[in-house]
Amino acid sequence: MSSENLPTSPGRKPRVAVVFGGRSSEHAISVVTAGAILRAIDRSKYDVLPIGITTDGRWALTADEPERMAIADRALPSVADLTDSAEGTVVLPVDPGTREVVYSEPGAVPKALGDVDVVFPMLHGPYGEDGTLQGMLELSGVPYVGAGVLASAVGQDKEYMKRVFQSYGLPVGPYEVIRPGEWAQDPAAARTRILDFAAEHGWPLFVKPARAGSSFGITKVDDPSRLDEAIEEARRHDPKILVEALLTGREIECGVLEFEDGPRASVPAWIPPVTDHEFYDFEAKYIDSASGVVPAPITPEQTAEVQRLAIAAFEAVSCEGLVRADFFLTDDGEFVINEINTMPGFTPISMYPRMWEASGVSYQELIDRLIQAALSRSTGLR
C-alpha cells in the first residue's frame, strides 16, 4: 500500500498518539511537556492515546492524567509513575497498510487499541527528537508532528547544525568540537586544542554535550582549572562535546510555525540574565521558572531581522511543523544564531507557546495547527 495518509473511518475523530518520556536525560521534561499537551488538546476534535517510553526503552500504556505529569515540589515526573504494569508493552504498527496499535502483557492475549492517525512525539533529546523515532514512523507510514528524519538529526547535533547554518550564510559564533574517542585516546591533545581555542577567543568558555538539550551537561568554564571537570560532565550526556566562545549580548528567541502558505515567525522573546545562576541552565528553565520577556524589547528593524533569520534557519535544515530558534544579539547590534530546537518545550512556562500566544495563536490553536499540518502531509519522500 502507498505510504500516503490513510483516511480516518467515517464518523470518528482523528486519533492522536501522544508519545513522551524516552531514554534521554530529558525524560522528565518530556513528561511535563506531554502533560501540558494532554491538558490542552481539544477532546471534542481528537481522540487521544497517551504512550510513554520508560528510561530503559519500554513503550508503555499510561494513564491519561496530566495532573500527575507536572513538576511538584521540585520532584521530576517519570513514565514509570504513570503506568500500572511494569511489563506491558505498546507496539506501533510496522506495516504501512495498517495503523492499529497493540498492547500486550506476558501470558495474556494481545489487545488491539485501535488505529492511530497521527503521532505527536513530545520527546526531547536522543532516541526521539533526533530522527530515530521519525525514521520508524516513516517506515510504518504513520504521519507525525514536526521535523522529518534529516532535519531532526541535524537539529539534534549542534556541530552539524552549525555547519549547515554556515553553508547557508547564517551567522554562527566560534566553536570547537571534540569527537567521541579523542578525549579518551589522547586527552592531552584534545585539551591543547581547547586551550588554543581559549587563547584565540578568551575565557570563559561553554563546554556542552553536542547532542543534548534542556541545558543538561553545560558548564561555564572561567579558567583551565575547571576544564577537565566540565568535559567529563558533558561526556556524561554525550561522548561528543562542543566548546563555544562566550558571546556578550542579549539572548533572543523566535518561534517558527508552518502555516498553509509556508513558515511564519512569531514575535521574539528576550531571555534576561538570571541572577541566581551562571547562565540559563536547567534549574533556571524548569525548576526556578526563569521567565522571558515577550515581546523582546528590541527595535522593529531588529525584530524583522531575527524573524527573517529564524525562517532562514528553519528552511536551511528542511524543518517541518515548528522550530524555536535561539540567537544572541551582540553588543554591536548583530544577530548570531546559537541553535534551533525542532521539538521545543510545551510546558506552561515554555517560551515557544508564549511567543505564539503573543503573536495571536493560542495554545490550543497551536496544537491543532501542528496536528492538522501532520495529517495533511504524506510520509516518505516529500
Side-chain angles (χ1 to χ4, degrees):
M1 177 178 286
S2 166
S3 61
E4 292 291 322
N5 291 359
L6 301 172
T8 59
S9 302
R12 84 169 173 84
K13 296 178 286 189
R15 198 169 197 209
V16 181
V18 179
V19 180
F20 61 95
R23 294 163 56 192
S24 84
S25 54
E26 298 177 78
H27 177 96
I29 295 308
S30 174
V31 176
V32 174
T33 299
I37 295 289
L38 291 172
R39 276 192 295 271
I41 197 168
D42 187 350
R43 302 303 179 104
S44 69
K45 192 170 183 177
Y46 303 105
D47 286 327
V48 179
L49 178 66
I51 300 174
I53 302 176
T54 63
T55 54
D56 61 1
R58 179 174 63 92
W59 291 53
L61 187 63
T62 65
D64 187 3
E65 299 176 8
E67 66 277 3
R68 295 171 57 192
M69 301 166 72
I71 298 174
D73 298 324
R74 304 178 77 88
L76 301 175
S78 72
V79 168
D81 299 331
L82 301 167
T83 178
D84 293 331
S85 171
E87 297 181 304
T89 59
V90 173
V91 179
L92 264 65
V94 295
D95 179 356
T98 180
R99 296 268 179 82
E100 188 170 74
V101 177
V102 175
Y103 176 76
S104 63
E105 291 192 68
V109 176
K111 177 183 178 183
L113 300 179
D115 289 353
V116 163
D117 300 297
V118 63
V119 170
F120 205 135
M122 293 315 307
L123 294 159
H124 303 307
Y127 313 109
E129 191 183 351
D130 59 350
T132 50
L133 176 64
Q134 290 76 11
M136 185 191 78
L137 295 173
E138 292 284 354
L139 289 172
S140 303
V142 179
Y144 53 91
V145 170
V149 176
L150 174 66
S152 296
V154 173
Q156 187 65 41
D157 191 313
K158 295 178 176 63
E159 176 196 358
Y160 288 101
M161 180 198 309
K162 290 177 185 291
R163 290 185 183 276
V164 169
F165 290 158
Q166 287 174 310
S167 73
Y168 276 83
L170 293 166
V172 173
Y175 68 96
E176 184 67 68
V177 178
I178 304 298
R179 297 183 178 279
E182 287 186 76
W183 182 252
Q185 294 168 10
D186 194 346
R191 198 173 194 276
T192 296
R193 283 175 52 203
I194 298 173
L195 293 175
D196 289 345
F197 180 80
E200 181 179 357
H201 299 288
W203 300 90
L205 303 175
F206 286 91
V207 177
K208 60 178 65 176
R211 295 166 293 193
S214 295
S215 297
F216 279 110
I218 300 178
T219 305
K220 182 181 179 183
V221 182
D222 295 311
D223 58 66
S225 66
R226 294 187 60 200
L227 186 57
D228 290 8
E229 177 187 349
I231 291 171
E232 293 299 341
E233 171 59 20
R235 282 171 50 82
R236 281 200 317 112
H237 300 271
D238 186 351
K240 181 164 79 167
I241 67 169
L242 196 74
V243 180
E244 294 178 335
L246 174 69
L247 293 175
T248 58
R250 288 179 283 175
E251 292 188 49
I252 305 293
E253 297 183 351
C254 188
V256 179
L257 178 63
E258 195 171 11
F259 285 74
E260 293 78 7
D261 59 351
R264 301 181 195 173
S266 70
V267 299
W270 169 50
I271 308 300
V274 285
T275 56
D276 296 331
H277 303 264
E278 283 196 296
F279 59 96
Y280 195 45
D281 61 6
F282 176 84
E283 290 274 328
K285 285 181 180 179
Y286 299 109
I287 303 298
D288 295 336
S289 304
S291 298
V293 177
V294 185
I298 56 180
T299 69
E301 292 77 16
Q302 289 170 330
T303 294
E305 176 64 3
V306 77
Q307 290 173 328
R308 181 189 72 81
L309 290 170
I311 292 174
F314 180 94
E315 293 178 333
V317 183
S318 298
C319 288
E320 294 170 293
L322 71 164
V323 145
R324 193 194 71 231
D326 301 345
F327 298 85
F328 291 103
L329 176 55
T330 64
D331 293 342
D332 59 5
E334 299 297 324
F335 283 103
V336 176
I337 188 165
N338 183 35
E339 64 183 45
I340 59 169
N341 193 315
T342 57
M343 189 52 71
F346 274 79
T347 67
I349 62 171
S350 294
M351 296 310 303
Y352 185 84
R354 285 187 58 197
M355 288 186 288
W356 276 109
E357 186 172 14
S359 304
V361 180
S362 70
Y363 193 13
Q364 192 171 65
E365 182 187 351
L366 181 62
I367 294 168
D368 183 64
R369 280 191 170 277
L370 290 170
I371 294 172
Q372 289 299 318
L375 285 169
S376 69
R377 288 196 301 266
S378 65
T379 53
L381 298 177
R382 54 188 183 272

